[in-house]
Amino acid sequence: MGVSMTVRENLEQWERQYLSPYASFSVASRGRLRPEAQCDVRPVFQRDRDRIIHCKAFRRLKDKTQVFLSPEGDHYRTRLTHTLEVSQNARTIAKALRLNEELVEAISLGHDLGHTPFGHAGERALNRVCPLGFEHSQQSVRTVDRLEKDGQGLNLTYEVRDGILNHQTIGKPHTLEGKIVRLSDKIAYIHHDMDDAVRAGILKESDVPKEIRDVIGSTPGDRLDHFIHDIVTSSREKNDILMSEPTHHAMMRMREFMFENVYENPQAKSEEAKAERLMETLYLHFMKHIDDLPEEFLNLLSEGERKEQVVCDYVGAMTDRFAIATYNEIYIPKSWSI
C-alpha cells in the first residue's frame, strides 16, 4: 500500500474515531453519479469541496447580487460573500457537534451555484418566462451535474448534491450536515441582510421589534452568536439539528420582519422590475436566436437537451455585469454608448 493512499485512509479512520456516531462518514458515502477512482490523499467530501471551489460557477458568484442591486459602497454582500458566511456558520456548528465539517463546507460552497444574476429578481423572471420554470436550488444541482466542465459536470457525491438540492426552507436534507447548511443559510442572510439594510439607511436596529430583540439580541453580531449557540446546545448528542422553540419563533419573526421591511421594501427593491425585464428580454432573445449561444450550450442542444432549459442555463449563469453588457450589446446602439 502506497504512502499517499494511507493519507486518505488515515483521515477516514480519524473520522470514525473522532466524529459523532450521527455524522456522515466519508467512507460510507452513497457514491457518485459515475464511479471513479479514489483520490490518494483526500476523502470524498474534501475532494468535492475542492472541485466546487475551482469551478467556474463558484468564481461567478463574486459578481452576482445578494439583496442590493449595484449598491453604492464596497461593503455590501454579494452572492459569494453570502456563500462564505453560510460556510463559516455551518462549519462552526458542525465542528462543535463533531459532524463532518468538510461535508458541510462542500454543501455550503455549492448551495447557490445555480443562482441567477440580480438575486431573486432574476430567478422570478426566468421562472415566469420559461415554461419549464426555474428554481435556483435545482439549477445548482444541474450546474454541478451537467453544466460544469463543458457538460461533464463535477460528479459530486450523493450527500453533497442532496444538501445543495434541499438547502431551502422547504427542503428536507438526508444528512445532519445538510440540515446544518439549511439553517445556516437562513441565519446568514438574516444576519447580513439586516447589517446591509442598516448600512443602506433603510432600517435602524431600534426598528426591530422588542420581542425579537429580547430573545435573540440587538445587533447582527449578537443574533448570529445566539443562533449558533442555540443550535449547538439544542442539537448536542441528538440525531437531528434543532433550535429551541423561543429562538426558532424569534428567527421566523425576524425573517417576516426582513421580508416586510427589506426584501419587499420599495427603496431596497426599486430597480428590481428593470432587472426582471432585462432577464426576460435576454431569455426571449436567445430563444429566437439560439445559434448565438456559446458552443458549450449548443452542444447541450445537440445532445438532446430542451431549448428552453439550455437558454435558462446560459442566461441564469450570467453575472450581473455580463447580463447588462450582453443586453447593451444586443439592444443599445453603439453610438449611444457613453
Side-chain angles (χ1 to χ4, degrees):
M1 183 180 296
V3 173
S4 59
M5 191 66 169
T6 304
V7 173
R8 190 197 77 239
E9 290 188 340
N10 281 342
L11 290 171
E12 292 169 346
Q13 184 178 27
W14 176 88
E15 288 182 2
R16 285 292 195 189
Q17 292 173 342
Y18 177 76
L19 295 184
S20 162
Y22 305 121
S24 297
F25 298 103
S26 299
V27 74
S29 170
R30 290 174 58 174
R32 304 182 184 279
L33 293 176
R34 300 183 304 278
E36 60 180 66
Q38 287 267 31
C39 175
D40 290 341
V41 174
R42 296 166 298 170
V44 290
F45 302 139
Q46 181 183 349
R47 199 177 188 189
D48 283 0
R49 187 270 315 274
D50 295 349
R51 289 180 180 184
I52 290 168
I53 286 176
H54 289 289
C55 78
K56 291 187 293 184
F58 184 77
R59 295 195 290 276
R60 290 195 298 269
L61 295 176
K62 67 179 171 39
D63 283 322
K64 293 196 178 193
T65 292
Q66 173 61 23
V67 170
F68 294 89
L69 289 172
S70 303
E72 295 183 4
D74 294 332
H75 300 129
Y76 292 87
R77 271 71 172 192
T78 65
R79 189 63 57 180
L80 177 61
T81 57
H82 161 73
T83 293
L84 296 176
E85 290 185 37
V86 173
S87 176
Q88 182 59 59
N89 295 342
R91 288 176 56 207
T92 298
I93 295 166
K95 181 175 284 188
L97 296 175
R98 293 187 298 119
L99 298 175
N100 197 309
E101 195 175 343
E102 287 167 348
L103 176 55
V104 296
E105 187 173 20
I107 297 170
S108 299
L109 296 178
H111 83 280
D112 271 352
L113 291 180
H115 226 300
T116 59
F118 313 118
H120 289 284
E123 183 174 19
R124 285 194 301 271
L126 289 183
N127 187 53
R128 183 165 57 241
V129 75
C130 176
L132 303 177
F134 187 93
E135 205 286 311
H136 81 269
S137 63
Q138 295 176 7
Q139 190 67 14
S140 294
V141 175
R142 178 169 169 80
T143 299
V144 299
D145 283 356
R146 189 77 172 95
L147 303 182
E148 278 294 324
K149 297 184 70 174
D150 297 323
Q152 297 178 59
L154 302 181
N155 199 28
L156 303 181
T157 56
Y158 166 85
E159 291 79 8
V160 173
R161 296 169 62 252
D162 169 75
I164 291 172
L165 180 64
N166 290 292
H167 76 268
Q168 293 181 279
T169 300
I170 60 172
K172 294 182 179 179
H174 289 83
T175 66
L176 297 192
E177 289 83 0
K179 291 181 179 182
I180 287 175
V181 175
R182 180 175 167 273
L183 272 180
S184 295
D185 185 36
K186 286 190 190 66
I187 65 178
Y189 68 66
I190 287 173
H191 165 256
H192 60 53
D193 293 350
M194 181 65 192
D195 190 38
D196 283 353
V198 171
R199 179 172 289 108
I202 292 171
L203 288 175
K204 301 185 297 294
E205 279 293 343
S206 58
D207 293 330
V208 178
K210 184 176 183 298
E211 65 268 22
I212 297 176
R213 287 185 280 126
D214 284 349
V215 176
I216 59 176
S218 299
T219 69
D222 287 345
R223 286 188 285 272
L224 182 62
D225 187 68
H226 180 90
F227 285 139
I228 289 174
H229 277 80
D230 186 88
I231 293 170
V232 170
T233 301
S234 301
S235 306
R236 188 173 287 135
E237 307 303 332
K238 294 185 177 71
N239 190 18
D240 203 356
I241 301 301
L242 305 166
M243 266 187 181
S244 68
E245 183 54 39
T247 296
H248 182 263
H249 179 72
M251 180 184 74
M252 299 310 292
R253 284 284 294 112
M254 185 71 183
R255 189 170 178 268
E256 291 171 8
F257 172 80
M258 294 297 291
F259 268 95
E260 292 168 2
N261 294 279
V262 178
Y263 305 139
E264 297 171 357
N265 180 295
Q267 183 180 349
K269 298 299 183 179
S270 58
E271 301 291 283
E272 281 199 350
K274 298 176 186 177
E276 290 187 34
R277 284 194 293 273
L278 184 152
M279 291 291 289
E280 291 180 357
T281 302
L282 288 179
Y283 173 87
L284 294 172
H285 169 83
F286 287 108
M287 284 295 293
K288 292 179 181 177
H289 302 89
I290 196 71
D291 291 337
D292 290 349
L293 292 179
E295 182 180 1
E296 63 190 277
F297 293 92
L298 294 177
N299 289 339
L300 293 173
L301 287 172
S302 68
E303 293 169 8
E305 296 274 4
R306 292 182 64 171
K307 180 178 176 180
E308 296 87 348
Q309 179 62 66
V310 175
V311 172
C312 268
D313 291 338
Y314 180 54
V315 176
M318 292 178 175
T319 62
D320 294 18
R321 283 191 298 178
F322 186 72
I324 293 167
T326 302
Y327 180 91
N328 287 340
E329 177 71 22
I330 296 168
Y331 292 106
I332 306 300
K334 298 286 192 296
S335 60
W336 292 4
S337 300
I338 297 176

